[in-house]
């Protein structure tokens, strides 16, 4: 029986072997994937029970507003004061978008370099570990002294916080590619650039997307912290402002906004994973 050449060459056309691999399979947060209407209803029911129970307990024990406002007061404050929050939301999103774009680009390029050149990895890795283990918020006062109270110090802090996350996850994904596929491609004359763009990057895309998601979350936390340390605008500055005035409904409304932004980030990258990495290697 003759064997065709096409039977020996692995295909990268997205064959599934036991299910779809997506972002929900890489983390413990599986609730975002594969929901049906019954599951969504159950989630909403649990949320209603939690919020209703909190409302009843806070009102039943007559907890003062300056300690913990009921969820209904927080929701009402969020709606009625949203036009005050909106400019600060846009500032925070601007810092996150610009800083994350810079950090993610540099991190991805560094991951490509250290994967191809072991010497570069030995040189770069200590500095990356230093950035990962050092809270970037601690550098904000120094950046403010050099660059002033504008957006630049906060954008730099976001880039320094998000870039290492992207680099670490991307480089890990590049190294986990099946070496047999690379050897087969080289046997057909593929050069290093073709191997990287046609095999390493597509096969590492799940880890790259995870790195982007983690980096964006780290970037959001850093942006808020930087605004709290040295900023007159942004959601972080509003947290400091409202807590100093003991305006807890506004304070918790800002917390809800940040939670919504974080959830939106997760859902966005979950969609990206399903769109661009919806396969199982």
């Amino acid at each position: 029986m003759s064997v065709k050449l096409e039977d020996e060459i692995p295909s990268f056309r997205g064959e599934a072997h036991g299910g779809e691999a997506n972002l929900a399979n890489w983390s413990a947060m599986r609730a975002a994937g594969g929901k049906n209407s019954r599951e969504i209803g159950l989630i909403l029911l649990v949320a209603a029970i939690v919020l209703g129970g909190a409302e009843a307990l806070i009102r039943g024990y007559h907890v003062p507003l300056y300690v913990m406002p009921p969820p209904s007061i927080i929701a009402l404050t969020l709606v009625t004061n949203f036009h005050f929050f909106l400019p600060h939301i846009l500032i925070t999103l601007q810092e996150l978008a610009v800083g994350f774009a810079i950090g993610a680009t540099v991190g991805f390029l560094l991951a490509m370099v250290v994967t191809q050149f072991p010497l570069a990895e030995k040189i770069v890795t200590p500095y990356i570990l230093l950035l990962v283990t050092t809270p970037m918020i601690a550098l904000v006062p120094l950046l403010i002294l050099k660059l002033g109270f504008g957006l630049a110090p906060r954008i730099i802090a976001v880039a320094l916080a998000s870039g290492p996350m992207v680099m670490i996850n991307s480089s890990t994904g590049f190294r986990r590619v099946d070496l047999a596929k690379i050897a087969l491609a080289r046997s057909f004359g593929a050069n290093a650039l073709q191997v990287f763009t046609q095999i390493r990057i597509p096969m590492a895309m799940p880890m790259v997307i995870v790195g982007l998601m983690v980096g964006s979350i780290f970037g959001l936390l850093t942006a808020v912290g930087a605004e709290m340390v040295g900023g007159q605008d942004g959601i972080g500055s509003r947290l400091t402002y409202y807590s100093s005035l003991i305006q807890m409904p506004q304070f918790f409304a800002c917390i809800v906004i940040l939670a919504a932004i974080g959830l939106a980030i997760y859902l966005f990258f979950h969609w990206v994973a399903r769109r661009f990495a919806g396969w199982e290697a």
Side-chain angles (χ1 to χ4, degrees):
M1 179 179 179
S2 62
V3 180
K4 297 181 180 179
L5 181 60
E6 62 184 11
D7 296 329
E8 297 294 326
I9 300 177
S11 173
F12 304 101
R13 297 177 181 175
E15 295 88 343
H17 301 284
E20 181 186 29
N22 51 52
L23 193 57
N25 296 326
W26 312 327
S27 67
M29 296 184 290
R30 295 177 177 269
K35 300 187 187 77
N36 54 34
S37 58
R38 183 178 178 182
E39 292 172 339
I40 295 176
L42 182 61
I43 292 172
L44 295 177
L45 177 62
V46 172
I49 292 174
V50 171
L51 293 176
E55 181 85 16
L57 288 174
I58 292 173
R59 292 188 179 276
Y61 284 97
H62 304 288
V63 179
L65 280 180
Y66 60 84
V67 175
M68 182 65 198
S72 60
I73 300 297
I74 297 174
L76 180 62
T77 302
L78 180 60
V79 173
T80 56
N81 293 272
F82 188 77
H83 59 286
F84 293 116
F85 298 140
L86 183 58
H88 300 283
I89 295 173
L90 296 178
I91 290 294
T92 300
L93 292 178
Q94 181 182 353
E95 296 166 0
L96 176 61
V98 178
F100 175 71
I102 296 173
T105 301
V106 175
F108 186 78
L109 293 177
L110 283 177
M112 296 173 61
V113 172
V114 300
T115 303
Q116 296 298 307
F117 304 99
L119 178 60
E121 180 180 12
K122 295 179 181 179
I123 296 173
V124 172
T125 298
Y127 300 99
I128 296 299
L129 293 177
L130 184 63
L131 290 176
V132 171
T133 56
T134 303
M136 290 300 105
I137 299 177
L139 299 179
V140 173
L142 177 61
L143 294 172
I144 290 176
L145 288 175
K146 296 294 183 181
L147 302 174
F149 284 92
L151 298 182
R154 290 173 262 174
I155 290 175
I156 293 174
V158 171
L160 291 176
S162 58
M165 298 296 106
V166 177
M167 175 191 166
I168 291 173
N169 284 273
S170 298
S171 59
T172 301
F174 292 150
R175 292 191 182 93
R176 288 184 177 179
V177 175
D178 188 0
L179 296 180
K181 294 181 175 64
I182 297 177
L184 180 62
R186 287 176 176 169
S187 68
F188 281 91
N191 56 37
L193 180 61
Q194 290 173 325
V195 169
F196 206 94
T197 57
Q198 300 298 322
I199 297 179
R200 284 194 184 273
I201 292 180
M203 300 299 291
M205 192 55 64
M207 287 299 298
V208 172
I209 296 174
V210 170
L212 293 173
M213 182 186 70
V214 175
S216 60
I217 296 296
F218 269 71
L220 176 62
L221 298 177
T222 302
V224 174
E227 291 167 352
M228 296 176 69
V229 171
Q232 299 178 350
D233 44 22
I235 295 298
S237 69
R238 294 302 90 190
L239 289 174
T240 304
Y241 175 75
Y242 291 130
S243 63
S244 65
L245 298 178
I246 320 180
Q247 296 181 355
M248 291 298 104
Q250 290 85 347
F251 178 86
F252 281 100
C254 292
I255 296 293
V256 172
I257 291 172
L258 292 175
I261 294 174
L263 179 61
I265 290 173
Y266 172 77
L267 293 177
F268 171 75
F269 283 108
H270 175 73
W271 174 84
V272 171
R274 292 175 61 88
R275 177 67 177 81
F276 296 102
W279 43 264
E280 183 174 308

